[in-house]
Amino acid sequence: MRTRFHEHLEQLADQLRAMCVRNREAIAMATDALLGADLELAERTIDYCAETVAMRDGAEHAAVTLLALEAPVAGELRRVVTALQLVDDLTRMSTLTEHIADTARRRHPADAVPEPVRNLVTHMGETAVDLADAAVDVLTTADPGDAADLDARDDTMDDLHRDLLAAILAEGWDNGTAAAVDVTLLGRYYERFADHAVEVGRRTLYMTTGRRDDALQLRER
Amino acid sequence: MRTRFHEHLEQLADQLRAMCVRNREAIAMATDALLGADLELAERTIDYCAETVAMRDGAEHAAVTLLALEAPVAGELRRVVTALQLVDDLTRMSTLTEHIADTARRRHPADAVPEPVRNLVTHMGETAVDLADAAVDVLTTADPGDAADLDARDDTMDDLHRDLLAAILAEGWDNGTAAAVDVTLLGRYYERFADHAVEVGRRTLYMTTGRRDDALQLRER
């Protein structure tokens, strides 16, 4: 009975990891579509993200089934409850990625990202991939070091986000209001994607250790 | 034993309702602070929202304790699991409200909302209060009619949000890029607040009926 419980818990963990791996793929695709003004890739990314979002129900169902059939307590209960919360973070990462791809789609054939901020958006895209990668690592290893690493990378994202807003607000911005609106929202999507990746790390750590590390306190943005 | 379970479940429902009532108060305060460029009210709203966010741990703890001690199944399990998810929606509503108040605080003594969009932001604020109010109703009655009402009000918010972006992008916008960035983000915060209020309605309905109404399908934004 308990062996089966652990098998099911492992399957649930695999589902979460699979969603996170897909988010890493998708954010790379979305950034490429955005910076390359690539309509076909943007549409493929949107479909791909929708498939990831559709994995939510299966993962939620698996978690609720575990609760119903096995009535876990203590550490095992914590793992299942945290898995339920992780499903939401991972789904949200997909939706935010879809928004980025959709911006590329709506602006096509024009570039949504004007020249002066292309470098910044490129770095935000790379940082987002790094964060999703690190979240996959934490989901696999539950290593506190990996989770701390996630936090450090999120600081990079915050710096880039600040620079991005500063660039839009700088004197020399002559790319118009429409581009300012697009880039403002894009910045928000990347930043929120990063926040959820960090949350995945924090929750995973809590799931396995039961401790909320003070250095990794939950931050809401 | 089961009576105690239901008592605890009622207490948990009360905590969720209390969070939602606070969100309704807070979004009204935040909008007043924003439109009145009222620094003192903005700061009071930020503190008030932080207190609501701090209620999360208590509600989560109550839900996990119910799972651990009572091992509920079927409809009762669904209620506890949904309560856990509702806590996240209600917390997120507080954080978004805090962002709105914080925009007023950062721009003080200037107005964050320029004249041409003041009416729209006023209406978005009123619609957000209506939505939070309706979410409180659904949490109280679990009435499908109330949940449908939430959906209709969310359509109003979507229309207002579209009009807001159109106003920023219109030819005559001469309020500068900084105001465009602020208003873009404010629009996003109100829209997401509304989405979470609708989610509260949908989840509550699912919690009590076990049916996901097709007309009220989960929409991710």
mmCIF file of all heavy atoms in Angstrom, chain B residues 68-108:
data_model
loop_
_atom_site.group_PDB
_atom_site.id
_atom_site.type_symbol
_atom_site.label_atom_id
_atom_site.label_comp_id
_atom_site.label_asym_id
_atom_site.label_seq_id
_atom_site.Cartn_x
_atom_site.Cartn_y
_atom_site.Cartn_z
ATOM 1 N N ALA B 68 -4.910 16.598 7.616
ATOM 2 C CA ALA B 68 -4.094 15.687 8.420
ATOM 3 C C ALA B 68 -4.925 14.967 9.474
ATOM 4 O O ALA B 68 -4.775 13.764 9.678
ATOM 5 C CB ALA B 68 -2.959 16.464 9.087
ATOM 6 N N LEU B 69 -5.826 15.721 10.147
ATOM 7 C CA LEU B 69 -6.527 15.141 11.287
ATOM 8 C C LEU B 69 -7.787 14.396 10.886
ATOM 9 O O LEU B 69 -8.212 13.475 11.576
ATOM 10 C CB LEU B 69 -6.878 16.236 12.310
ATOM 11 C CG LEU B 69 -5.676 16.961 12.922
ATOM 12 C CD1 LEU B 69 -6.138 17.980 13.953
ATOM 13 C CD2 LEU B 69 -4.710 15.953 13.548
ATOM 14 N N GLU B 70 -8.386 14.803 9.778
ATOM 15 C CA GLU B 70 -9.703 14.252 9.473
ATOM 16 C C GLU B 70 -9.719 13.364 8.235
ATOM 17 O O GLU B 70 -10.690 12.655 7.996
ATOM 18 C CB GLU B 70 -10.718 15.400 9.278
ATOM 19 C CG GLU B 70 -10.747 16.396 10.434
ATOM 20 C CD GLU B 70 -11.466 15.826 11.659
ATOM 21 O OE1 GLU B 70 -12.127 14.790 11.526
ATOM 22 O OE2 GLU B 70 -11.347 16.434 12.741
ATOM 23 N N ALA B 71 -8.641 13.463 7.405
ATOM 24 C CA ALA B 71 -8.577 12.656 6.193
ATOM 25 C C ALA B 71 -9.910 12.627 5.449
ATOM 26 O O ALA B 71 -10.489 11.562 5.232
ATOM 27 C CB ALA B 71 -8.115 11.231 6.514
ATOM 28 N N PRO B 72 -10.411 13.789 5.081
ATOM 29 C CA PRO B 72 -11.715 13.838 4.412
ATOM 30 C C PRO B 72 -11.661 13.173 3.031
ATOM 31 O O PRO B 72 -10.586 13.056 2.447
ATOM 32 C CB PRO B 72 -11.972 15.337 4.256
ATOM 33 C CG PRO B 72 -10.615 15.953 4.244
ATOM 34 C CD PRO B 72 -9.769 15.107 5.138
ATOM 35 N N VAL B 73 -12.815 12.725 2.562
ATOM 36 C CA VAL B 73 -12.890 12.158 1.209
ATOM 37 C C VAL B 73 -14.023 12.845 0.445
ATOM 38 O O VAL B 73 -14.771 13.650 0.998
ATOM 39 C CB VAL B 73 -13.143 10.627 1.234
ATOM 40 C CG1 VAL B 73 -11.933 9.898 1.800
ATOM 41 C CG2 VAL B 73 -14.404 10.311 2.007
ATOM 42 N N ALA B 74 -14.100 12.528 -0.837
ATOM 43 C CA ALA B 74 -15.182 13.005 -1.715
ATOM 44 C C ALA B 74 -15.420 14.505 -1.570
ATOM 45 O O ALA B 74 -14.490 15.282 -1.629
ATOM 46 C CB ALA B 74 -16.453 12.199 -1.470
ATOM 47 N N GLY B 75 -16.658 14.890 -1.342
ATOM 48 C CA GLY B 75 -17.029 16.309 -1.337
ATOM 49 C C GLY B 75 -16.288 17.109 -0.273
ATOM 50 O O GLY B 75 -15.935 18.263 -0.481
ATOM 51 N N GLU B 76 -16.029 16.466 0.863
ATOM 52 C CA GLU B 76 -15.334 17.188 1.932
ATOM 53 C C GLU B 76 -13.879 17.438 1.572
ATOM 54 O O GLU B 76 -13.321 18.495 1.853
ATOM 55 C CB GLU B 76 -15.456 16.422 3.245
ATOM 56 C CG GLU B 76 -16.889 16.469 3.777
ATOM 57 C CD GLU B 76 -17.086 15.633 5.030
ATOM 58 O OE1 GLU B 76 -16.167 14.851 5.366
ATOM 59 O OE2 GLU B 76 -18.153 15.757 5.658
ATOM 60 N N LEU B 77 -13.262 16.440 0.934
ATOM 61 C CA LEU B 77 -11.884 16.610 0.466
ATOM 62 C C LEU B 77 -11.822 17.735 -0.560
ATOM 63 O O LEU B 77 -10.937 18.580 -0.536
ATOM 64 C CB LEU B 77 -11.368 15.291 -0.140
ATOM 65 C CG LEU B 77 -9.998 15.375 -0.814
ATOM 66 C CD1 LEU B 77 -8.923 15.816 0.170
ATOM 67 C CD2 LEU B 77 -9.628 14.019 -1.423
ATOM 68 N N ARG B 78 -12.796 17.719 -1.480
ATOM 69 C CA ARG B 78 -12.840 18.752 -2.522
ATOM 70 C C ARG B 78 -12.934 20.141 -1.892
ATOM 71 O O ARG B 78 -12.317 21.089 -2.356
ATOM 72 C CB ARG B 78 -14.041 18.492 -3.433
ATOM 73 C CG ARG B 78 -14.004 19.271 -4.734
ATOM 74 C CD ARG B 78 -15.144 18.841 -5.641
ATOM 75 N NE ARG B 78 -16.424 19.034 -4.982
ATOM 76 C CZ ARG B 78 -17.366 18.110 -4.865
ATOM 77 N NH1 ARG B 78 -17.191 16.916 -5.391
ATOM 78 N NH2 ARG B 78 -18.502 18.384 -4.242
ATOM 79 N N ARG B 79 -13.719 20.236 -0.817
ATOM 80 C CA ARG B 79 -13.864 21.546 -0.178
ATOM 81 C C ARG B 79 -12.550 22.036 0.419
ATOM 82 O O ARG B 79 -12.200 23.210 0.299
ATOM 83 C CB ARG B 79 -14.939 21.494 0.925
ATOM 84 C CG ARG B 79 -16.342 21.413 0.347
ATOM 85 C CD ARG B 79 -17.400 21.598 1.404
ATOM 86 N NE ARG B 79 -17.393 22.951 1.952
ATOM 87 C CZ ARG B 79 -18.257 23.386 2.858
ATOM 88 N NH1 ARG B 79 -19.176 22.576 3.331
ATOM 89 N NH2 ARG B 79 -18.193 24.622 3.294
ATOM 90 N N VAL B 80 -11.809 21.137 1.044
ATOM 91 C CA VAL B 80 -10.557 21.554 1.680
ATOM 92 C C VAL B 80 -9.510 21.906 0.614
ATOM 93 O O VAL B 80 -8.807 22.911 0.722
ATOM 94 C CB VAL B 80 -10.023 20.465 2.633
ATOM 95 C CG1 VAL B 80 -8.746 20.943 3.307
ATOM 96 C CG2 VAL B 80 -11.071 20.120 3.681
ATOM 97 N N VAL B 81 -9.425 21.076 -0.432
ATOM 98 C CA VAL B 81 -8.451 21.339 -1.497
ATOM 99 C C VAL B 81 -8.768 22.670 -2.185
ATOM 100 O O VAL B 81 -7.882 23.489 -2.449
ATOM 101 C CB VAL B 81 -8.434 20.182 -2.518
ATOM 102 C CG1 VAL B 81 -7.690 20.584 -3.779
ATOM 103 C CG2 VAL B 81 -7.794 18.944 -1.900
ATOM 104 N N THR B 82 -10.044 22.899 -2.451
ATOM 105 C CA THR B 82 -10.420 24.161 -3.091
ATOM 106 C C THR B 82 -10.120 25.343 -2.183
ATOM 107 O O THR B 82 -9.678 26.398 -2.642
ATOM 108 C CB THR B 82 -11.911 24.141 -3.464
ATOM 109 O OG1 THR B 82 -12.174 22.969 -4.225
ATOM 110 C CG2 THR B 82 -12.277 25.356 -4.302
ATOM 111 N N ALA B 83 -10.335 25.168 -0.884
ATOM 112 C CA ALA B 83 -10.025 26.249 0.064
ATOM 113 C C ALA B 83 -8.548 26.633 -0.043
ATOM 114 O O ALA B 83 -8.190 27.804 -0.037
ATOM 115 C CB ALA B 83 -10.376 25.817 1.485
ATOM 116 N N LEU B 84 -7.701 25.615 -0.173
ATOM 117 C CA LEU B 84 -6.258 25.868 -0.328
ATOM 118 C C LEU B 84 -5.980 26.722 -1.565
ATOM 119 O O LEU B 84 -5.128 27.610 -1.543
ATOM 120 C CB LEU B 84 -5.521 24.542 -0.490
ATOM 121 C CG LEU B 84 -4.944 23.901 0.759
ATOM 122 C CD1 LEU B 84 -4.465 22.492 0.440
ATOM 123 C CD2 LEU B 84 -3.783 24.743 1.303
ATOM 124 N N GLN B 85 -6.689 26.428 -2.646
ATOM 125 C CA GLN B 85 -6.482 27.189 -3.880
ATOM 126 C C GLN B 85 -7.068 28.596 -3.755
ATOM 127 O O GLN B 85 -6.496 29.563 -4.258
ATOM 128 C CB GLN B 85 -7.109 26.435 -5.055
ATOM 129 C CG GLN B 85 -6.430 25.090 -5.304
ATOM 130 C CD GLN B 85 -7.162 24.242 -6.324
ATOM 131 O OE1 GLN B 85 -8.389 24.224 -6.379
ATOM 132 N NE2 GLN B 85 -6.408 23.512 -7.127
ATOM 133 N N LEU B 86 -8.204 28.696 -3.061
ATOM 134 C CA LEU B 86 -8.820 30.016 -2.856
ATOM 135 C C LEU B 86 -7.894 30.942 -2.078
ATOM 136 O O LEU B 86 -7.840 32.146 -2.338
ATOM 137 C CB LEU B 86 -10.150 29.869 -2.107
ATOM 138 C CG LEU B 86 -11.322 29.312 -2.913
ATOM 139 C CD1 LEU B 86 -12.496 29.013 -1.992
ATOM 140 C CD2 LEU B 86 -11.748 30.308 -3.992
ATOM 141 N N VAL B 87 -7.164 30.382 -1.130
ATOM 142 C CA VAL B 87 -6.224 31.191 -0.344
ATOM 143 C C VAL B 87 -5.246 31.899 -1.282
ATOM 144 O O VAL B 87 -4.951 33.085 -1.109
ATOM 145 C CB VAL B 87 -5.448 30.318 0.661
ATOM 146 C CG1 VAL B 87 -4.342 31.123 1.332
ATOM 147 C CG2 VAL B 87 -6.380 29.756 1.716
ATOM 148 N N ASP B 88 -4.774 31.183 -2.299
ATOM 149 C CA ASP B 88 -3.823 31.782 -3.253
ATOM 150 C C ASP B 88 -4.470 32.918 -4.046
ATOM 151 O O ASP B 88 -3.862 33.970 -4.242
ATOM 152 C CB ASP B 88 -3.278 30.723 -4.213
ATOM 153 C CG ASP B 88 -2.084 29.984 -3.614
ATOM 154 O OD1 ASP B 88 -1.503 30.508 -2.642
ATOM 155 O OD2 ASP B 88 -1.742 28.900 -4.105
ATOM 156 N N ASP B 89 -5.681 32.693 -4.534
ATOM 157 C CA ASP B 89 -6.381 33.756 -5.285
ATOM 158 C C ASP B 89 -6.573 34.998 -4.417
ATOM 159 O O ASP B 89 -6.345 36.118 -4.860
ATOM 160 C CB ASP B 89 -7.761 33.264 -5.754
ATOM 161 C CG ASP B 89 -7.659 32.322 -6.946
ATOM 162 O OD1 ASP B 89 -6.986 32.676 -7.920
ATOM 163 O OD2 ASP B 89 -8.259 31.240 -6.882
ATOM 164 N N LEU B 90 -7.012 34.767 -3.179
ATOM 165 C CA LEU B 90 -7.329 35.897 -2.300
ATOM 166 C C LEU B 90 -6.052 36.651 -1.898
ATOM 167 O O LEU B 90 -6.068 37.875 -1.773
ATOM 168 C CB LEU B 90 -8.087 35.394 -1.066
ATOM 169 C CG LEU B 90 -9.488 34.846 -1.390
ATOM 170 C CD1 LEU B 90 -10.040 34.028 -0.229
ATOM 171 C CD2 LEU B 90 -10.445 35.987 -1.746
ATOM 172 N N THR B 91 -4.959 35.913 -1.728
ATOM 173 C CA THR B 91 -3.678 36.557 -1.420
ATOM 174 C C THR B 91 -3.214 37.396 -2.599
ATOM 175 O O THR B 91 -2.744 38.524 -2.452
ATOM 176 C CB THR B 91 -2.615 35.487 -1.108
ATOM 177 O OG1 THR B 91 -3.095 34.649 -0.073
ATOM 178 C CG2 THR B 91 -1.301 36.127 -0.691
ATOM 179 N N ARG B 92 -3.375 36.821 -3.781
ATOM 180 C CA ARG B 92 -2.929 37.516 -4.988
ATOM 181 C C ARG B 92 -3.720 38.817 -5.182
ATOM 182 O O ARG B 92 -3.164 39.824 -5.615
ATOM 183 C CB ARG B 92 -3.112 36.565 -6.178
ATOM 184 C CG ARG B 92 -2.407 36.964 -7.416
ATOM 185 C CD ARG B 92 -0.887 36.817 -7.318
ATOM 186 N NE ARG B 92 -0.285 37.785 -8.209
ATOM 187 C CZ ARG B 92 0.814 38.474 -7.969
ATOM 188 N NH1 ARG B 92 1.496 38.286 -6.868
ATOM 189 N NH2 ARG B 92 1.247 39.356 -8.821
ATOM 190 N N MET B 93 -5.012 38.785 -4.880
ATOM 191 C CA MET B 93 -5.825 40.008 -4.987
ATOM 192 C C MET B 93 -5.264 41.100 -4.083
ATOM 193 O O MET B 93 -5.221 42.274 -4.459
ATOM 194 C CB MET B 93 -7.290 39.702 -4.633
ATOM 195 C CG MET B 93 -8.033 38.922 -5.715
ATOM 196 S SD MET B 93 -9.634 38.239 -5.136
ATOM 197 C CE MET B 93 -10.692 39.685 -5.321
ATOM 198 N N SER B 94 -4.821 40.721 -2.900
ATOM 199 C CA SER B 94 -4.233 41.708 -1.979
ATOM 200 C C SER B 94 -2.956 42.299 -2.555
ATOM 201 O O SER B 94 -2.721 43.504 -2.461
ATOM 202 C CB SER B 94 -3.871 41.051 -0.647
ATOM 203 O OG SER B 94 -5.018 40.734 0.061
ATOM 204 N N THR B 95 -2.118 41.436 -3.100
ATOM 205 C CA THR B 95 -0.827 41.909 -3.618
ATOM 206 C C THR B 95 -1.038 42.854 -4.796
ATOM 207 O O THR B 95 -0.348 43.869 -4.929
ATOM 208 C CB THR B 95 0.040 40.716 -4.033
ATOM 209 O OG1 THR B 95 0.136 39.833 -2.927
ATOM 210 C CG2 THR B 95 1.432 41.172 -4.424
ATOM 211 N N LEU B 96 -1.993 42.539 -5.655
ATOM 212 C CA LEU B 96 -2.276 43.412 -6.804
ATOM 213 C C LEU B 96 -2.804 44.767 -6.325
ATOM 214 O O LEU B 96 -2.439 45.817 -6.864
ATOM 215 C CB LEU B 96 -3.278 42.728 -7.740
ATOM 216 C CG LEU B 96 -2.702 41.514 -8.499
ATOM 217 C CD1 LEU B 96 -3.826 40.633 -9.042
ATOM 218 C CD2 LEU B 96 -1.780 41.964 -9.635
ATOM 219 N N THR B 97 -3.646 44.736 -5.288
ATOM 220 C CA THR B 97 -4.166 45.980 -4.722
ATOM 221 C C THR B 97 -3.031 46.812 -4.136
ATOM 222 O O THR B 97 -2.989 48.044 -4.292
ATOM 223 C CB THR B 97 -5.209 45.654 -3.636
ATOM 224 O OG1 THR B 97 -6.215 44.821 -4.200
ATOM 225 C CG2 THR B 97 -5.843 46.917 -3.093
ATOM 226 N N GLU B 98 -2.108 46.126 -3.488
ATOM 227 C CA GLU B 98 -0.931 46.792 -2.926
ATOM 228 C C GLU B 98 -0.137 47.497 -4.037
ATOM 229 O O GLU B 98 0.355 48.607 -3.848
ATOM 230 C CB GLU B 98 -0.071 45.726 -2.241
ATOM 231 C CG GLU B 98 0.864 46.266 -1.189
ATOM 232 C CD GLU B 98 1.619 45.124 -0.493
ATOM 233 O OE1 GLU B 98 1.035 44.032 -0.294
ATOM 234 O OE2 GLU B 98 2.797 45.346 -0.157
ATOM 235 N N HIS B 99 -0.027 46.848 -5.189
ATOM 236 C CA HIS B 99 0.692 47.461 -6.320
ATOM 237 C C HIS B 99 0.014 48.763 -6.759
ATOM 238 O O HIS B 99 0.672 49.732 -7.118
ATOM 239 C CB HIS B 99 0.726 46.519 -7.523
ATOM 240 C CG HIS B 99 1.629 45.336 -7.340
ATOM 241 N ND1 HIS B 99 2.617 45.289 -6.395
ATOM 242 C CD2 HIS B 99 1.703 44.164 -8.004
ATOM 243 C CE1 HIS B 99 3.251 44.134 -6.474
ATOM 244 N NE2 HIS B 99 2.716 43.431 -7.443
ATOM 245 N N ILE B 100 -1.319 48.758 -6.751
ATOM 246 C CA ILE B 100 -2.056 49.966 -7.164
ATOM 247 C C ILE B 100 -1.787 51.096 -6.164
ATOM 248 O O ILE B 100 -1.459 52.224 -6.548
ATOM 249 C CB ILE B 100 -3.575 49.659 -7.271
ATOM 250 C CG1 ILE B 100 -3.823 48.674 -8.425
ATOM 251 C CG2 ILE B 100 -4.382 50.945 -7.456
ATOM 252 C CD1 ILE B 100 -5.239 48.114 -8.493
ATOM 253 N N ALA B 101 -1.899 50.774 -4.872
ATOM 254 C CA ALA B 101 -1.630 51.786 -3.842
ATOM 255 C C ALA B 101 -0.183 52.267 -3.922
ATOM 256 O O ALA B 101 0.110 53.453 -3.720
ATOM 257 C CB ALA B 101 -1.937 51.219 -2.453
ATOM 258 N N ASP B 102 0.703 51.346 -4.244
ATOM 259 C CA ASP B 102 2.124 51.701 -4.307
ATOM 260 C C ASP B 102 2.414 52.644 -5.483
ATOM 261 O O ASP B 102 3.315 53.480 -5.394
ATOM 262 C CB ASP B 102 2.966 50.426 -4.419
ATOM 263 C CG ASP B 102 4.435 50.713 -4.135
ATOM 264 O OD1 ASP B 102 4.713 51.322 -3.088
ATOM 265 O OD2 ASP B 102 5.290 50.364 -4.966
ATOM 266 N N THR B 103 1.660 52.505 -6.547
ATOM 267 C CA THR B 103 1.815 53.431 -7.677
ATOM 268 C C THR B 103 1.434 54.847 -7.230
ATOM 269 O O THR B 103 2.132 55.811 -7.547
ATOM 270 C CB THR B 103 0.924 52.982 -8.857
ATOM 271 O OG1 THR B 103 1.232 51.614 -9.170
ATOM 272 C CG2 THR B 103 1.164 53.841 -10.083
ATOM 273 N N ALA B 104 0.324 54.950 -6.483
ATOM 274 C CA ALA B 104 -0.077 56.257 -5.958
ATOM 275 C C ALA B 104 1.012 56.823 -5.040
ATOM 276 O O ALA B 104 1.352 58.001 -5.103
ATOM 277 C CB ALA B 104 -1.394 56.131 -5.188
ATOM 278 N N ARG B 105 1.580 55.961 -4.205
ATOM 279 C CA ARG B 105 2.605 56.391 -3.255
ATOM 280 C C ARG B 105 3.861 56.898 -3.987
ATOM 281 O O ARG B 105 4.393 57.961 -3.680
ATOM 282 C CB ARG B 105 2.988 55.219 -2.337
ATOM 283 C CG ARG B 105 3.929 55.603 -1.198
ATOM 284 C CD ARG B 105 4.405 54.390 -0.406
ATOM 285 N NE ARG B 105 5.157 53.438 -1.224
ATOM 286 C CZ ARG B 105 6.415 53.617 -1.651
ATOM 287 N NH1 ARG B 105 7.076 54.699 -1.316
ATOM 288 N NH2 ARG B 105 6.996 52.703 -2.405
ATOM 289 N N ARG B 106 4.295 56.143 -4.990
ATOM 290 C CA ARG B 106 5.530 56.501 -5.693
ATOM 291 C C ARG B 106 5.375 57.793 -6.492
ATOM 292 O O ARG B 106 6.311 58.552 -6.639
ATOM 293 C CB ARG B 106 5.981 55.356 -6.618
ATOM 294 C CG ARG B 106 6.771 54.277 -5.864
ATOM 295 C CD ARG B 106 7.300 53.211 -6.795
ATOM 296 N NE ARG B 106 6.231 52.396 -7.345
ATOM 297 C CZ ARG B 106 5.839 52.378 -8.604
ATOM 298 N NH1 ARG B 106 6.445 53.147 -9.488
ATOM 299 N NH2 ARG B 106 4.847 51.603 -8.992
ATOM 300 N N ARG B 107 4.180 58.036 -7.025
ATOM 301 C CA ARG B 107 3.983 59.225 -7.853
ATOM 302 C C ARG B 107 3.672 60.484 -7.044
ATOM 303 O O ARG B 107 3.743 61.586 -7.558
ATOM 304 C CB ARG B 107 2.857 58.996 -8.876
ATOM 305 C CG ARG B 107 3.205 58.031 -9.961
ATOM 306 C CD ARG B 107 4.346 58.513 -10.854
ATOM 307 N NE ARG B 107 4.884 57.391 -11.631
ATOM 308 C CZ ARG B 107 6.062 56.818 -11.410
ATOM 309 N NH1 ARG B 107 6.849 57.248 -10.444
ATOM 310 N NH2 ARG B 107 6.471 55.809 -12.156
ATOM 311 N N HIS B 108 3.270 60.296 -5.786
ATOM 312 C CA HIS B 108 2.907 61.435 -4.949
ATOM 313 C C HIS B 108 4.019 62.478 -4.926
ATOM 314 O O HIS B 108 5.172 62.107 -4.811
ATOM 315 C CB HIS B 108 2.625 60.958 -3.517
ATOM 316 C CG HIS B 108 2.201 62.065 -2.610
ATOM 317 N ND1 HIS B 108 0.908 62.496 -2.552
ATOM 318 C CD2 HIS B 108 2.906 62.851 -1.761
ATOM 319 C CE1 HIS B 108 0.833 63.503 -1.696
ATOM 320 N NE2 HIS B 108 2.034 63.737 -1.209
#
